[in-house]
Amino acid sequence: MDYLLERVKDHIYVVAVWDAEWNTYTNAYLIQEEAGLTVVDSCKEEHVVFLQHALNKIGKTSDDVKLMLVTHGHEDHVGGATLFTNARKVIHADETLPVASSISGKLLERGTIGDYEYTRVGYHSPGSVIFFHRPTRTLFTGDFLCFFGDPLSDGGLVSKGDDLRQAWIEYLQGGGVAKLDLPVFLNGLRIMQEYDPDVMCTGHGGVLVGDLDVFLEELITIGDKDK
Ligand SMILES: [Zn+2]
Ligand SMILES: [Zn+2]
């Protein structure tokens, strides 16, 4: 099976599917809670087989999923949504979905849904949202901050990811975020800083743990200089 399943923290799991067409890992997350199972994002439609397999491995099925949180409307994040017929599925109202979808745009600028707080960050796509699971201090960043097309960290899928952090710093230093987008990007980083996460679950590849305040501060410092 071309995917990895790893425990991130407590009852949170990452499913990292290898997408040979786009040459990247694409992540979805499974969170076991008393209220039921939550998924964050769902990879592409053709990846549902991996999601089902991963769910079975933790003793669940797609029917156990009660809530689906969607970071943004791109096909590699919403494609598997059809699998979760018992779930309430939410996305920000400003997002455009690729096809007719069972996901309804209800999220606002900022709010709470179950154990999750969310804020619209609006970088990468207009209604992109980050979700913060306060009980475990885990932040789901979608593609606002991700490792699209990058290999996994030498430390593994879930790790401090110093090599990935360094690559992101160099990307930002090299003008990877367009000047026009920098204010929105920096604003999003500050929102992340306020949440003060222990874990950063990204939309593609690496899941980062440890010293995230340092990483965010480094990115903000570089961005501020370029503004
Ligand atoms: Zn995207
Ligand atoms: Zn993506």
Side-chain angles (χ1 to χ4, degrees):
M1 283 269 180
D2 289 338
Y3 81 96
L4 301 166
L5 170 67
E6 272 187 43
R7 168 174 273 162
V8 175
K9 183 179 191 180
D10 300 335
H11 300 292
I12 301 180
Y13 299 85
V14 54
V15 183
V17 174
W18 176 251
D19 181 346
E21 189 193 359
W22 288 8
N23 265 308
T24 187
Y25 282 100
T26 296
N27 299 0
Y29 296 90
L30 313 173
I31 305 104
Q32 277 181 298
E33 294 171 287
E34 270 173 40
L37 202 57
T38 298
V39 298
V40 178
D41 290 343
S42 61
C43 305
K44 287 183 181 172
E45 196 174 3
E46 62 261 37
H47 297 149
V48 292
V49 56
F50 302 120
L51 297 180
Q52 272 170 319
H53 196 265
L55 282 162
N56 293 344
K57 274 200 143 176
I58 64 164
K60 302 285 173 186
T61 72
S62 53
D63 288 346
D64 295 318
V65 175
K66 298 291 183 267
L67 178 65
M68 179 179 177
L69 304 174
V70 186
T71 60
H72 65 296
H74 292 164
E75 65 168 296
D76 53 328
H77 298 262
V78 302
T82 45
L83 189 61
F84 308 111
T85 47
N86 289 339
R88 178 183 175 205
K89 308 172 199 179
V90 292
I91 193 169
H92 192 275
D94 286 355
E95 280 297 272
T96 311
L97 290 157
V99 282
S101 172
S102 55
I103 308 167
S104 44
K106 292 209 179 69
L107 300 180
L108 309 167
E109 286 303 294
R110 205 166 192 144
T112 304
I113 178 161
D115 279 339
Y116 302 82
E117 293 166 39
Y118 69 85
T119 306
R120 184 181 77 90
V121 283
Y123 171 75
H124 180 76
S125 64
S128 63
V129 164
I130 54 172
F131 295 97
F132 185 59
H133 187 242
R134 190 159 288 283
T136 58
R137 310 200 64 79
T138 301
L139 185 68
F140 298 91
T141 62
D143 287 358
F144 178 95
L145 206 159
C146 70
F147 303 102
F148 189 95
D150 291 337
L152 298 180
S153 166
D154 289 342
L157 172 58
V158 181
S159 65
K160 191 157 179 232
D162 282 326
D163 44 359
L164 293 181
R165 293 181 194 212
Q166 189 53 37
W168 233 102
I169 284 164
E170 284 164 19
Y171 172 75
L172 188 58
Q173 280 168 334
V177 175
K179 256 196 163 50
L180 201 66
D181 297 330
L182 256 185
V184 173
F185 181 69
L186 283 166
N187 186 51
L189 291 176
R190 291 202 172 89
I191 293 163
M192 291 188 184
Q193 228 176 8
E194 278 170 40
Y195 284 133
D196 191 20
D198 287 345
V199 185
M200 197 183 273
C201 291
T202 75
H204 297 271
V207 176
L208 306 183
V209 287
D211 292 341
L212 292 167
D213 51 340
V214 177
F215 180 45
L216 290 169
E217 192 58 46
E218 274 180 298
L219 292 175
I220 289 168
T221 305
I222 294 163
D224 269 340
K225 244 185 285 174
D226 290 351
K227 220 167 37 180

